[in-house]
Amino acid sequence: MREMNLDDNSNNLVQSLTNGDSEKISTSRFSSLLASKDRDYLLSSTEADQQVRISDLEGKLKSNGSNFEIVFVSSDEDLDAFNSYRESLPWLSIPFSDLETKKALNRKFEVEGIPCLVILQPEDNKDGATLYEGVELIYRYGIEAFPFTKERLEELQREEKMKHESQTVTDLLTNPGRDYILGQTITGKVPVDSLIGKTVGLYFSAQWCFPCAKFTPKLISIYQKIKQTLEEKGGEDFEIVFVSNDRDQSSFDSYFGTMPWLALPFGDPTVRTLAKYFDVQGIPCLIIIGPDGKTVTKQGRNLMNLYQENAYPFTDAKVELLEKEMEEAAKNLPRSVYHAAHRHELTLVSEGTGGGPYICCDCDEQGSGWAYQCLECGYEVHPKCVRAVAPAGSIEGR
């Protein structure tokens, strides 16, 4: 499931033609990609019936001063939908009727899903000159990604690494107009600085999201157990901050009202900043920040599903310890079982014996390491989710 406002309603492959030095791109290359035997033009965005000859694209790129153009390749279901959608787009389009060119582009660039943005560089004979991750690059870096060259992307990655290495919880959660987050207290405001020195989970979620509705109650239970354990031990502390992707204030208020932790205000610009910064592409997502303000893991949700409250403090050392404990525990598990929710026999597997990362068919959460797997149909469940029953044909199962 994609979340965080990535324009999931855009039924399109968007082909970015060029950037940088447009003189280095030949008209014949444009034609081979975008023309057909019956058509040598694209549709303009300015007028419904205006055509732009593909042979004129080089001059168009020079005249607009940007050396950059996008061509819309539609996957709309009918012409009316295409025309309606195209009205909102400021770039060129391949005519809706030209299915052959669309299919050829899909094959050439191995398009498997939309939205998809393929970016062609001026010198396409260089390694890495064609970029297939245009949507992700725009989502993460916005206009800063231009001109999408290898050098520019490496520069952005270096800058991003430096930001992560120097991050603090204060930098992450405040902005020039706000130094607090919302709490469940009478005043409703909690200073962000009160989180310094604590392990903090950033919980990206929304009321409308079905997987979130299933995971949030589980997270609440685990959160309360971790808090209780830490209070008994004294010294350490753990907190969660809800980062909402709800669609309106009332949904946020209703959803946050069920939670025992803190939250960023609804609609706060920091929400989108954090989603980009941590490259959050789906919800629910739980990012763990350590007491020093640095990122511990982006896999908080998976770790809690696997190890519940034992996952705390989510460090590599703790995960390694838990994995060893799981290996030892697996030695005492039956090699095969029958599960109440499945008709076939399930076999115990690990990553080394045919298993691997999977989605548990019982709780719908991710798993890794050990699993019970149906060798007939691929059904897989966490060992902890198995409800063992006798085989249907046995005396016990009659």
Side-chain angles (χ1 to χ4, degrees):
M1 173 182 290
R2 293 190 67 83
E3 331 295 345
M4 309 311 293
N5 302 323
L6 267 188
D7 193 14
D8 290 329
N9 295 320
S10 56
N11 297 322
N12 64 309
L13 156 69
V14 179
Q15 172 78 49
S16 173
L17 285 180
T18 180
N19 62 69
D21 187 355
S22 63
E23 295 181 16
K24 296 180 181 178
I25 299 186
S26 67
T27 301
S28 61
R29 180 174 166 214
F30 283 160
S31 296
S32 66
L33 286 171
L34 304 176
S36 68
K37 62 180 181 180
D38 302 318
R39 176 185 55 78
D40 63 353
Y41 63 87
L42 298 169
L43 299 180
S44 170
S45 61
T46 56
E47 296 182 26
D49 298 324
Q50 184 177 349
Q51 300 175 357
V52 175
R53 291 177 62 87
I54 295 173
S55 58
D56 294 338
L57 274 177
E58 183 175 335
K60 183 178 186 299
L61 288 165
K62 290 179 180 178
S63 65
N64 68 21
S66 69
N67 290 335
F68 182 70
E69 186 55 82
I70 291 178
V71 174
F72 169 47
V73 186
S74 171
S75 291
D76 288 298
E77 294 182 353
D78 54 55
L79 182 60
D80 288 341
F82 169 77
N83 288 332
S84 175
Y85 190 41
R86 191 167 70 89
E87 288 178 356
S88 66
L89 306 178
W91 44 68
L92 303 171
S93 304
I94 290 176
F96 178 76
S97 58
D98 191 350
L99 296 179
E100 290 305 313
T101 298
K102 174 188 179 308
K103 292 177 180 178
L105 288 170
N106 283 347
R107 287 193 300 269
K108 179 176 178 61
F109 297 111
E110 299 179 348
V111 177
E112 296 181 351
I114 54 174
C116 173
L117 178 63
V118 178
I119 298 174
L120 305 182
Q121 298 290 352
E123 296 182 3
D124 203 31
N125 58 339
K126 290 184 177 180
D127 291 340
T130 300
L131 298 176
Y132 295 84
E133 303 83 18
V135 169
E136 180 181 347
L137 293 175
I138 293 295
Y139 176 72
R140 290 183 67 177
Y141 302 120
I143 194 173
E144 297 298 321
F146 185 83
F148 306 100
T149 59
K150 179 181 179 182
E151 294 74 19
R152 178 55 180 157
L153 297 180
E154 289 177 346
E155 180 182 6
L156 289 171
Q157 289 168 0
R158 286 193 299 271
E159 293 175 358
E160 195 172 61
K161 182 179 179 182
M162 290 177 62
K163 287 181 181 178
H164 281 271
E165 289 176 346
S166 61
Q167 79 182 29
T168 67
V169 70
T170 302
D171 293 337
L172 289 173
L173 298 180
T174 62
N175 61 45
R178 179 185 51 74
D179 62 358
Y180 63 88
I181 47 183
L182 303 180
Q184 304 286 3
T185 62
I186 296 175
T187 60
K189 294 183 179 180
V190 176
V192 171
D193 286 351
S194 67
L195 297 177
I196 295 175
K198 299 180 180 181
T199 298
V200 178
L202 303 180
Y203 183 43
F204 295 81
S205 185
Q207 188 179 53
W208 53 262
C209 166
F210 179 71
C212 298
K214 294 191 67 175
F215 180 68
T216 297
K218 182 185 301 183
L219 181 59
I220 290 173
S221 175
I222 295 172
Y223 167 81
Q224 291 171 335
K225 290 177 182 177
I226 292 174
K227 295 283 282 186
Q228 181 179 350
T229 300
L230 294 179
E231 286 176 6
E232 293 172 355
K233 291 182 178 180
E236 298 180 36
D237 201 358
F238 175 59
E239 195 50 78
I240 290 178
V241 177
F242 171 40
V243 185
S244 169
N245 195 37
D246 286 299
R247 292 168 176 156
D248 53 59
Q249 183 72 52
S250 62
S251 296
F252 168 83
D253 292 340
S254 174
Y255 194 34
F256 180 45
T258 68
M259 300 173 178
W261 44 68
L262 309 173
L264 285 171
F266 174 75
D268 192 281
T270 302
V271 171
R272 188 169 182 82
T273 300
L274 288 173
K276 288 186 177 182
Y277 182 75
F278 289 111
D279 193 26
V280 176
Q281 298 187 20
I283 55 175
C285 175
L286 183 64
I287 309 290
I288 303 296
I289 308 300
D292 61 355
K294 306 300 184 290
T295 305
V296 175
T297 181
K298 297 181 181 180
Q299 304 300 320
R301 174 191 175 191
N302 294 339
L303 293 177
M304 284 198 173
N305 281 324
L306 285 172
Y307 306 115
Q308 293 78 50
E309 64 272 14
N310 296 322
Y312 180 88
F314 312 96
T315 58
D316 289 342
K318 184 58 182 285
V319 173
E320 183 178 350
L321 176 62
L322 292 169
E323 288 175 345
K324 289 180 179 178
E325 291 176 353
M326 182 179 285
E327 290 292 322
E328 287 299 313
K331 294 177 181 179
N332 298 318
L333 292 174
R335 300 299 96 181
S336 63
V337 296
Y338 281 88
H339 175 47
H342 191 68
R343 66 185 182 278
H344 299 143
E345 184 180 29
L346 303 181
T347 301
L348 185 66
V349 297
S350 67
E351 291 190 19
T353 59
Y358 62 95
I359 300 297
C360 176
C361 295
D362 192 81
C363 70
D364 293 326
E365 294 291 351
Q366 187 169 343
S368 62
W370 293 92
Y372 278 105
Q373 182 184 84
C374 177
L375 301 182
E376 293 187 49
C377 64
Y379 182 96
E380 286 185 286
V381 292
H382 296 125
K384 64 183 177 63
C385 290
V386 169
R387 301 184 298 280
V389 295
S394 68
I395 296 175
E396 293 88 346
R398 292 176 183 172

